[in-house]
Amino acid sequence: MDLKQRPFDVLGQLTALRRYARSLVRNPNDAEDLVHDTLVKAYERRITFRTGADLRSWLLSILHNTHVDDRRSARAQQRRDDAVLQEAEISKPADQESVVRLGQIRNAFYDLPEDQREALHLVAIEDLSYQDAADALGIPVGTLMSRVSRARAKLRAFENTPASQAHLKLVGGKDD
């Protein structure tokens, strides 16, 4: 078939793409994944391909850039994983009572009404400002502040509850 009739014939370039991908990743399965990702990106960006340009070079550069991006992403993920492992090595596991109490607090948080839980999560855990959290939830700032206040009050009330009233039960104890 004439090149002018099919200027965007990626099927004719599959062999070259697979060959280059295998030389980059040295694994047939990973190479196929890389070629697949390349073809998806090429299809999404086909409008940027200039008619008359070298399709093979364009596809190979997409493949190369995809590979580089994947490697950068993998290295960044590895650095994050290493940092977590390093933190885990220096942390001391909590004693049994603390583990149980933290589990109860977590459950108390999950038992909050959804609107209060969302508001408290965005402000206390994600560290968003009240305005940013209100914008994220699509509510007025005053409503957000009210929800956060009610959620904190419920958690404080739970925290001030003695452990004996928080459903902890002594099992196997002796009567004196």
Side-chain angles (χ1 to χ4, degrees), residues 31-47:
E32 283 300 317
D33 290 342
L34 183 57
V35 169
H36 176 266
D37 293 345
T38 299
L39 293 176
V40 168
K41 287 181 180 182
Y43 180 75
E44 290 170 347
R45 298 176 185 148
R46 67 189 178 279
I47 194 83

Side-chain angles (χ1 to χ4, degrees), residues 48-59:
T48 65
F49 179 69
R50 293 183 321 265
T51 305
D54 186 4
L55 178 64
R56 182 175 180 213
S57 296
W58 186 70
L59 290 171

Side-chain angles (χ1 to χ4, degrees), residues 99-109 158 163 166-168:
V99 170
V100 170
R101 190 64 177 165
L102 288 173
Q104 291 172 334
I105 292 169
R106 182 191 63 233
N107 291 338
F109 176 78
F158 175 81
H167 308 296
L168 286 179

Side-chain angles (χ1 to χ4, degrees), residues 117-131:
R117 192 174 61 246
E118 290 171 344
L120 185 61
H121 179 89
L122 291 176
V123 170
I125 297 173
E126 299 302 328
D127 200 28
L128 292 180
S129 69
Y130 284 119
Q131 184 62 55

Side-chain angles (χ1 to χ4, degrees), residues 27-96:
N27 178 310
N29 293 330
D30 292 343
E32 283 300 317
D33 290 342
L34 183 57
V35 169
H36 176 266
D37 293 345
T38 299
L39 293 176
V40 168
K41 287 181 180 182
Y43 180 75
E44 290 170 347
R45 298 176 185 148
R46 67 189 178 279
I47 194 83
T48 65
F49 179 69
R50 293 183 321 265
T51 305
D54 186 4
L55 178 64
R56 182 175 180 213
S57 296
W58 186 70
L59 290 171
L60 290 173
S61 71
I62 292 174
L63 186 134
H64 175 78
N65 291 337
T66 301
H67 174 65
V68 169
D69 290 346
D70 289 348
R71 288 185 59 206
R72 282 184 187 142
S73 178
R75 281 195 305 264
Q77 183 63 44
Q78 186 62 45
R79 282 193 302 272
R80 288 190 296 272
D81 291 346
D82 290 345
V84 169
L85 285 175
Q86 186 177 17
E87 287 294 322
E89 290 172 359
I90 62 173
S91 66
K92 176 185 168 229
D95 60 347
Q96 186 62 29

